[in-house]
């Protein structure tokens, strides 16, 4: 199967020297580029290409590799290009060797089009080709695009890459957490097992028959499942965090009024919903301001 090179492009409102330094200085580069944990330049003579080593953490292990700045070119129109050759000898690495370039194209009003295109040879033979095509290469493209947007916000708005990544990953961890919570509580005790405790809780709040209580439980369960999916599909997550900050105290109050004895139970509605309420507050504040996203980058080269 034929793989396409990875291409990422983004406009950045800054001057070319600032962007050049942020992407060429190994310490600054490692701060915003999600693909690297550290980059170290190797001392060189003036006429030699710049060699460097890099390290990328992958779970409980790390992949180390080598790189070489093949050359850089400053054109008459003010654009710059930097070419790289990289690879690794570690058997665990999904990448064997590759080449690519960065281009810095001035536009207008201190706006630079920053783009990259690179390709590589996957490791692990045919299995590696398959995994690379469907999993690793899309992840590399996404990671590159996300990193470019982090760089953009750093240079334009001043928020450090560390702060951006903390907000980004915390935001999505909480998003998947609340998706799981609402889906689980809607599906397992209500829609699938139809737990008697759920019916008793409804009957303690409303004068309903057993049949009516069962239907009420099913409707509530479907509502929770729908709300779980909204957590994944609705883009403005800050609205959902705020909604939960209102909803959770009301749900807690209704549960306690329906059965005050539940307050002495382990993992009771009060303590459980209090934890969710606090996490909703955390999510609300970390979602303030625009989060970095790979969607802000152009992923296909013009004419490709």
């Amino acid at each position: 199967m034929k793989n396409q090179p990875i291409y990422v492009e983004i406009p950045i409102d800054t001057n070319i020297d600032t962007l050049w330094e942020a992407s060429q200085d190994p310490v600054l580069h490692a701060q915003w580029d999600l693909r690297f944990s550290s980059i170290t330049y190797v001392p060189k003579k003036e006429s030699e290409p710049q060699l460097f080593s890099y390290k990328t953490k992958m779970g409980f292990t790390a992949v180390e590799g080598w790189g070489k700045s093949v050359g850089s070119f400053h054109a008459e129109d003010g654009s710059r290009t930097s070419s790289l050759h990289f690879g690794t000898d570690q058997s665990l690495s999904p990448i064997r060797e590759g080449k690519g370039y960065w281009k810095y194209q001035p536009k207008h009003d201190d706006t630079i089009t920053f783009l990259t295109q690179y390709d590589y040879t996957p490791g692990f033979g045919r299995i590696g080709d398959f995994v690379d095509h469907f999993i690793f290469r899309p992840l590399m493209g996404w990671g590159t695009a996300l990193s470019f947007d982090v760089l953009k916000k750093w240079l334009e708005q001043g928020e450090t890459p560390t702060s951006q990544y903390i907000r980004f990953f915390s935001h999505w961890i909480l998003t998947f957490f609340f998706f799981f919570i609402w889906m689980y509580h809607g599906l397992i005790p209500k829609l699938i097992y139809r737990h008697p405790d759920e019916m008793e809780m409804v009957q303690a709040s409303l004068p309903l028959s057993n049949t009516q209580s069962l239907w009420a439980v099913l409707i509530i369960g479907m509502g929770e499942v729908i709300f779980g999916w909204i957590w994944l599909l609705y883009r403005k997550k800050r609205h959902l965090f705020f909604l939960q900050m209102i909803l959770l105290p009301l749900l807690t109050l209704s549960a306690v009024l329906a059965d005050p004895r539940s307050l002495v139970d382990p993992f009771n509605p009060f303590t459980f919903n209090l934890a969710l309420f606090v996490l909703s507050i955390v999510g609300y504040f970390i979602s303030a301001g625009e989060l970095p996203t790979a969607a802000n980058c152009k992923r296909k080269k013009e004419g490709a």
Side-chain angles (χ1 to χ4, degrees):
M1 60 187 68
K2 182 176 177 56
N3 290 317
Q4 294 296 320
I6 293 171
Y7 180 86
V8 177
E9 176 185 322
I10 194 168
I12 301 179
D13 295 333
T14 187
N15 63 74
I16 196 166
D17 291 324
T18 301
L19 179 56
W20 181 268
E21 182 183 12
S23 55
Q24 296 292 329
D25 184 293
V27 176
L28 297 179
H29 181 186
Q31 289 184 48
W32 59 265
D33 200 329
L34 195 61
R35 298 168 297 174
F36 303 103
S37 303
S38 65
I39 302 171
T40 305
Y41 275 1
V42 177
K44 74 178 187 73
K45 296 180 181 179
E46 187 173 345
S47 59
E48 294 178 342
Q50 178 64 65
L51 303 178
F52 63 89
S53 62
Y54 66 85
K55 181 182 291 186
T56 301
K57 292 181 180 178
M58 299 177 62
F60 297 102
T61 186
V63 171
E64 297 184 11
W66 53 266
K68 179 169 62 174
S69 295
V70 180
S72 59
F73 175 72
H74 295 208
E76 293 181 359
D77 62 358
S79 64
R80 302 180 187 180
T81 304
S82 175
S83 300
L84 297 173
H85 181 198
F86 57 90
T88 180
D89 298 323
Q90 281 192 254
S91 58
L92 288 176
S93 174
I95 293 176
R96 292 274 73 86
E97 192 171 340
K99 293 181 180 180
Y101 67 88
W102 284 352
K103 189 168 184 178
Y104 311 71
Q105 181 68 55
K107 291 298 182 182
H108 53 81
D109 299 331
D110 276 341
T111 297
I112 310 296
T113 298
F114 183 45
L115 64 90
T116 185
Q117 179 171 297
Y118 62 96
D119 201 359
Y120 56 84
T121 303
F124 304 106
R126 291 185 178 180
I127 294 177
D129 288 340
F130 180 85
V131 173
D132 178 72
H133 183 82
F134 291 103
I135 299 176
F136 188 73
R137 188 170 291 256
L139 280 175
M140 284 289 287
W142 171 83
T144 305
L146 178 65
S147 300
F148 271 39
D149 198 42
V150 167
L151 174 62
K152 175 184 174 72
K153 288 176 173 53
W154 185 22
L155 298 182
E156 291 183 353
Q157 302 172 16
E159 184 179 2
T160 65
T162 300
S163 172
Q164 291 186 64
Y165 281 126
I166 288 174
R167 292 200 306 118
F168 175 83
F169 287 108
S170 298
H171 171 89
W172 282 105
I173 288 171
L174 287 174
T175 293
F176 285 110
F177 172 75
F178 283 123
F179 165 74
F180 170 78
I181 290 292
W182 288 106
M183 288 292 291
Y184 182 91
H185 282 273
L187 282 173
I188 305 303
K190 295 180 179 69
L191 295 180
I192 296 178
Y193 287 99
R194 303 174 186 181
H195 201 283
D197 288 352
E198 297 286 346
M199 295 181 59
E200 290 179 9
M201 195 177 302
V202 170
Q203 289 174 330
S205 304
L206 300 168
L208 299 176
S209 66
N210 288 341
T211 302
Q212 290 172 328
S213 297
L214 176 60
W215 276 106
V217 167
L218 294 177
I219 291 171
I220 293 170
M222 286 187 287
E224 290 179 338
V225 168
I226 291 171
F227 191 59
W229 280 109
I230 289 174
W231 267 103
L232 287 189
L233 302 176
Y234 187 63
R235 296 184 65 180
K236 298 181 179 179
K237 301 292 192 298
R238 199 164 194 246
H239 294 171
L240 301 180
F241 286 123
F242 183 74
L243 178 61
Q244 287 194 161
M245 289 163 61
I246 299 172
L247 236 127
L248 289 168
L250 296 176
L251 292 174
T252 304
L253 181 62
S254 63
V256 171
L257 291 177
D259 185 12
R261 296 171 299 175
S262 65
L263 287 172
V264 300
D265 293 336
F267 302 104
N268 59 70
F270 175 74
T271 56
F272 179 71
N273 287 347
L274 178 61
L276 298 183
F277 178 73
V278 171
L279 289 175
S280 297
I281 293 175
V282 172
Y284 180 79
F285 282 105
I286 65 173
S287 298
E290 188 180 3
L291 291 168
T293 172
N296 286 337
C297 292
K298 184 178 177 181
R299 301 293 303 276
K300 287 187 177 180
K301 193 173 184 178
E302 289 186 9

